Amino acid sequence: QLASRRERLIEERQALPAPDAGAAERLRREMQDLDAELGRQRESLAQMEQALPQREQELREKNDILDMATQKLAGLDARIHALQQIQDRLARGADMEDWLATRSLDHAPRLWQDMSIESGWDDALESVLRERLNGIALDSLGQSAEWLREPPPGKMTVFDAGGEQAPAGETVTGLEPLRRYVTCRNQRLEAVLADWLHDVFVVDTATEGLALRQQLPPGAWLVSREGHIFTRHSVSFHAPDSELHGVLSRQREIEQLQTAIVSEQGQLDELKRIVEEIERDIGQRKSGIAGLRQSIEETQKRHHALQIEALRLSEQAQRLTQRGEQIAAELEEIALQHDAESASRAAADANVS
């Protein structure tokens, strides 16, 4: 019986699989690699999460600047619209709109729309030209003949845009012609402006005008920045007395505003581009953070699965070791019993002898 038992135990011991030390070592290295990978991923995630609020703050600041730029541009648009309405109303004429429309002149360009003057000399030019500033160019003054029978209901000037250039006026030492301060954007106006500003000179102050008037040739004028006009024998004090006052400065402001609007629109477009770029970057960063979090979660799952497998292998190895030890103990016990039985038989045999 002991022999059969011993034989069974030996067979069981031989059948016991050896613990897979190689698999356990591979699992240990894989877990170390995953630990290192998790560390890198978590460090990257912390950096990305730290940088995101800075980018979002930058976006808020850029949006604030964008809002201010948008408001500024809207203000410029509103200002230019208001000025343009005044100029358009002036061009149409408050009491002459129907008269002009009947003769297809309601949209005809006015003199002031095709010219400009250096800043500071607006009043001088307005004082000299007066209602002629709002004049309308005709291909031929013959067109106005029929209007003599039915004249316009208010002051109005028309002029021949194809007239010949007037001869150069006299020169006066130390005096500059007003014409030098005027710029024409339409060459057809050169002749009429040369005619209307013929022998008109400028002085900085009325005091100078009063002192220099005796140097003027007959028919010549001096005009000060304030618009006061001096001849050899007279002084005409200027005061704004018509809706035309300010038409040149308004037109100049409109042109300056148009330039400013182009500049502001360019800056606004650039700000919008920057905001869109930051928004895209924030979206990409958020996607990156979400993807990294998912990757960390998957890595953690793999690490957990390896831990479970390592635990299973450890428990299996422990059971195999324990069973091997139990078998060894039982085999030792059998050997002791066998020795004891052999000793007893030997003693019995000796007694029988």
Side-chain angles (χ1 to χ4, degrees), residues 284-337:
Q284 291 170 356
R285 287 172 183 265
K286 287 182 176 179
S287 296
I289 288 173
L292 190 52
R293 284 175 177 165
Q294 184 176 358
S295 180
I296 288 173
E297 184 178 351
E298 291 172 355
T299 304
Q300 287 174 329
K301 287 179 179 179
R302 291 201 306 272
H303 189 275
H304 182 63
L306 290 176
Q307 284 180 320
I308 292 174
E309 179 63 15
L311 179 62
R312 185 188 67 78
L313 287 176
S314 175
E315 290 176 345
Q316 183 185 59
Q318 186 178 8
R319 287 194 302 271
L320 290 172
T321 301
Q322 287 175 348
R323 183 55 185 156
E325 291 173 350
Q326 288 174 352
I327 291 173
E330 289 182 23
L331 286 173
E332 184 178 356
E333 182 183 352
I334 290 171
L336 290 173
Q337 290 179 0

Side-chain angles (χ1 to χ4, degrees), residues 6-19:
R6 179 175 178 275
E7 185 178 349
R8 285 196 306 273
L9 288 172
I10 291 173
E11 289 177 355
E12 182 182 354
R13 183 173 64 182
Q14 290 174 343
L16 284 176

Side-chain angles (χ1 to χ4, degrees), residues 103 110 118 125 163 174 243 305 326 346:
R103 292 154 182 82
R110 302 306 178 106
E118 288 187 22
L125 189 62
E243 60 183 1
Q326 288 174 352

Side-chain angles (χ1 to χ4, degrees), residues 136-185:
I136 299 174
L138 300 177
D139 292 329
S140 170
L141 278 181
Q143 295 175 245
S144 64
E146 61 182 72
W147 303 340
L148 297 175
R149 295 187 298 273
E150 189 180 353
K155 289 182 179 181
M156 174 181 166
T157 299
V158 293
F159 59 88
D160 186 351
E164 295 183 359
Q165 184 81 27
E170 295 190 36
T171 60
V172 179
T173 303
L175 296 179
E176 279 194 291
L178 178 60
R179 178 67 185 84
R180 290 184 185 173
Y181 294 84
V182 179
T183 300
C184 287
R185 289 186 286 270

Side-chain angles (χ1 to χ4, degrees), residues 56-72 268 271 275 278-279:
E56 290 175 332
Q57 176 62 29
E58 184 180 356
L59 178 61
R60 286 191 291 271
E61 291 171 356
K62 290 297 182 183
N63 271 322
D64 289 342
I65 297 173
L66 180 61
D67 289 342
M68 288 189 290
T70 302
Q71 292 173 8
K72 183 177 181 180
L268 186 66
L271 277 171
V275 166
I278 295 175
E279 287 175 340

Side-chain angles (χ1 to χ4, degrees), residues 75-339:
L76 292 175
D77 282 330
R79 174 62 179 166
I80 200 171
H81 180 69
L83 290 172
Q84 197 64 60
Q85 281 188 320
I86 296 173
Q87 301 293 78
D88 290 345
R89 187 166 59 248
L90 176 61
R92 290 193 303 270
D95 301 321
M96 299 179 59
E97 192 167 358
D98 292 340
W99 191 93
L100 291 170
T102 301
R103 292 154 182 82
S104 301
L105 296 174
D106 48 331
H107 294 295
R110 302 306 178 106
L111 177 66
W112 55 265
Q113 292 174 317
D114 286 323
M115 60 177 291
S116 61
I117 188 166
E118 288 187 22
S119 179
W121 292 100
D122 305 58
D123 286 344
L125 189 62
E126 289 179 14
S127 179
V128 171
L129 295 183
R130 301 181 68 82
E131 64 271 7
R132 289 178 294 181
L133 265 177
N134 208 27
I136 299 174
L138 300 177
D139 292 329
S140 170
L141 278 181
Q143 295 175 245
S144 64
E146 61 182 72
W147 303 340
L148 297 175
R149 295 187 298 273
E150 189 180 353
K155 289 182 179 181
M156 174 181 166
T157 299
V158 293
F159 59 88
D160 186 351
E164 295 183 359
Q165 184 81 27
E170 295 190 36
T171 60
V172 179
T173 303
L175 296 179
E176 279 194 291
L178 178 60
R179 178 67 185 84
R180 290 184 185 173
Y181 294 84
V182 179
T183 300
C184 287
R185 289 186 286 270
N186 185 344
Q187 290 185 346
R188 299 177 70 201
L189 304 181
E190 294 284 355
V192 70
L193 281 175
D195 180 29
W196 288 346
L197 301 181
H198 183 76
D199 284 346
V200 179
F201 302 92
V202 299
V203 288
D204 281 329
T205 66
T207 302
E208 289 181 72
L210 195 62
L212 296 174
R213 63 186 177 82
Q214 294 294 343
Q215 299 180 24
L216 292 173
W221 294 5
L222 281 173
V223 61
S224 67
R225 286 179 179 270
E226 303 92 344
H228 306 315
I229 295 175
F230 304 86
T231 68
R232 289 176 61 88
H233 305 288
S234 66
V235 178
S236 298
F237 294 98
H238 173 66
D241 59 356
S242 75
E243 60 183 1
L244 274 169
H245 177 64
V247 64
L248 295 173
S249 61
R250 285 193 298 271
Q251 190 64 21
R252 182 168 54 251
E253 184 178 356
I254 287 173
E255 293 169 0
Q256 291 170 346
L257 287 171
Q258 288 170 336
T259 301
I261 284 174
V262 171
S263 175
E264 291 295 330
Q265 185 64 58
Q267 295 179 30
L268 186 66
D269 291 342
E270 177 63 14
L271 277 171
K272 287 180 178 179
R273 185 193 66 77
I274 292 173
V275 166
E276 290 172 358
E277 182 180 312
I278 295 175
E279 287 175 340
R280 282 195 302 271
D281 181 57
I282 288 175
Q284 291 170 356
R285 287 172 183 265
K286 287 182 176 179
S287 296
I289 288 173
L292 190 52
R293 284 175 177 165
Q294 184 176 358
S295 180
I296 288 173
E297 184 178 351
E298 291 172 355
T299 304
Q300 287 174 329
K301 287 179 179 179
R302 291 201 306 272
H303 189 275
H304 182 63
L306 290 176
Q307 284 180 320
I308 292 174
E309 179 63 15
L311 179 62
R312 185 188 67 78
L313 287 176
S314 175
E315 290 176 345
Q316 183 185 59
Q318 186 178 8
R319 287 194 302 271
L320 290 172
T321 301
Q322 287 175 348
R323 183 55 185 156
E325 291 173 350
Q326 288 174 352
I327 291 173
E330 289 182 23
L331 286 173
E332 184 178 356
E333 182 183 352
I334 290 171
L336 290 173
Q337 290 179 0
H338 180 269
D339 291 345

